[in-house]
Amino acid sequence: EEGGYLTNVGGMMVVFDLFSGGGIVRKLLDKVGIIPKAMVVAENDEDIRKAVAGEYGYSADGRQWCYDKTGCPAIYLQDVWNLFRELRNENARVIREAIGFAMEEEEHKYLIIGGSPCPDLSISGHMKGKIGFCGEQSVHYHVFAYVIAAIQEYDDKAQIFVTFENAGSMQPVHK
């Protein structure tokens, strides 16, 4: 069946696209005909950010919500950890605002998808994957647990769907 996992989730959902890269998650959602209730997107590469912001109509400033080209509320963060930094002295402001969009629906659905930088996990990295999830780049993987915990803290009716991806050349111990 076209769309598989995503279309089986059903209904409107808030999508967290972490470590977004070239916006492949949004391309996939568009292809299967899913318009999210809201998008929280994070990518730190400035060149990629400019291209993706132009393609989807995201505000590249990373500080405010906007409506993208499909009319979906979206925020395009420069760093995944900005989900938890005290922006304007408001802890987890972006997550709480995203939850507000989910609560407009009968079912509060969230899709968290992405893959943290992999050099510390991969056999092709500097230390051949021996540093693992504690390495300077791959430590960002832990943001997923924080996002899940924050959603559960603020929305006791949350239905959370999570998909991780990473390099196929990961050391077996990290898979």
Side-chain angles (χ1 to χ4, degrees):
E1 134 183 48
E2 189 170 318
Y5 172 76
L6 290 178
T7 55
N8 290 334
V9 169
M12 296 291 286
M13 68 185 104
V14 173
V15 176
F16 288 81
D17 180 8
L18 308 179
F19 311 101
S20 176
I24 192 70
V25 169
R26 188 52 191 263
K27 288 179 173 92
L28 173 65
L29 294 173
D30 290 348
K31 183 174 180 150
V32 298
I34 295 174
I35 298 174
K37 184 70 179 174
M39 289 285 298
V40 177
V41 184
E43 173 56 49
N44 69 352
D45 183 289
E46 286 302 315
D47 293 330
I48 292 173
R49 284 178 58 75
K50 288 176 190 173
V52 172
E55 183 173 353
Y56 292 106
Y58 299 148
S59 173
D61 78 354
R63 297 178 184 265
Q64 62 187 2
W65 288 87
C66 67
Y67 288 100
D68 70 12
K69 290 181 177 180
T70 67
C72 174
I75 189 164
Y76 196 22
L77 303 172
Q78 294 168 330
D79 184 332
V80 294
W81 293 106
N82 286 352
L83 291 164
F84 300 98
R85 290 193 177 106
E86 291 192 26
L87 303 175
R88 293 184 271 147
N89 294 321
E90 300 174 28
N91 260 340
R93 174 188 65 89
V94 172
I95 291 176
R96 288 185 291 111
E97 290 170 345
I99 288 169
F101 291 111
M103 289 184 167
E104 293 173 359
E105 300 296 319
E106 186 174 328
E107 296 182 295
H108 306 176
K109 295 183 179 182
Y110 303 87
L111 173 63
I112 305 168
I113 191 165
S116 67
C118 63
D120 303 324
L121 306 171
S122 171
I123 58 174
S124 58
H126 170 65
M127 295 297 294
K128 307 293 184 208
K130 293 179 181 169
I131 297 174
F133 291 107
C134 297
E136 186 176 326
Q137 295 176 330
S138 296
V139 71
H140 299 297
Y141 166 87
H142 299 289
V143 77
F144 290 97
Y146 281 91
V147 172
I148 293 165
I151 292 170
Q152 291 174 330
E153 174 71 22
Y154 294 116
D155 184 355
D156 61 356
K157 295 180 182 177
Q159 297 176 46
I160 303 171
F161 304 87
V162 182
T163 300
F164 302 111
E165 64 81 20
N166 221 301
S169 59
M170 285 173 58
Q171 286 280 10
V173 70
H174 303 309
K175 292 183 180 182

